[in-house]
Amino acid sequence: MKHFITITLARADQGARIAVIAGAALMIVIVSVQVVMRYVFNESLDWADEVSRLAFVTTIFLAIPLGIPDGTHVGIEMLVSRFPERIHAFTLRIMSLLAAGMMMVVCYTSIVVASVTWSERLGSLDLTSSVFFLPVAIGAAHSALHLLKMSIWAPEPAK
């Protein structure tokens, strides 16, 4: 079971990495073109701000779960790192479980807000404004899965 979950999360991570790279590249291209259009041609692309903002939101929220397994997110370990190994591992599991619960709440709430705002349209695109909540829901669900895995199979504490 652990092997299946590890493989599934590795594939989800790879998909998220590709989406993050594509989102960042799209954002860079759109903002660069928009700058050239404004300052060289004195024109503007109406849709550029919304698309680059959507690319930014997607990039950020899909990248969050990628740092969880490595422990690269900011954490305060001043007290916990001094615990004996068994207590440290137990604390890591409990905190991972609580964080997974929080991510599930974020996922659920973003789905609810997306469904409530589904009829609202973006100003320059014929697209629902709820598209901004979809990467939040996906990133929160992906994060919750990583955190649940960590709460069941705690990684070795860093020395």
Side-chain angles (χ1 to χ4, degrees), residues 49-78:
D49 290 337
E50 287 177 342
V51 174
S52 63
R53 188 169 39 126
L54 180 58
F56 177 75
V57 169
T58 301
T59 300
I60 295 302
F61 282 96
L62 295 185
I64 289 171
L66 299 177
I68 291 174
D70 304 331
T72 54
H73 287 288
V74 173
I76 302 171
E77 296 182 348
M78 190 167 51

Side-chain angles (χ1 to χ4, degrees), residues 61-62 64-65 68 99-100 102-108 110 134-147:
F61 282 96
L62 295 185
I64 289 171
I68 291 174
M102 183 187 72
M103 287 291 107
M104 287 187 241
V105 169
V106 170
C107 178
Y108 174 77
S110 61
L134 298 178
V136 177
I138 293 167
H142 189 177
S143 295
L145 292 174
H146 273 296
L147 290 161

Side-chain angles (χ1 to χ4, degrees), residues 108-148:
Y108 174 77
T109 304
S110 61
I111 291 169
V112 169
V113 172
S115 66
V116 169
T117 61
W118 192 260
S119 61
E120 295 177 17
R121 311 307 278 175
L122 294 175
S124 62
L125 299 171
D126 187 27
L127 197 62
T128 177
S129 64
S130 296
V131 296
F132 286 97
F133 296 102
L134 298 178
V136 177
I138 293 167
H142 189 177
S143 295
L145 292 174
H146 273 296
L147 290 161
L148 284 173

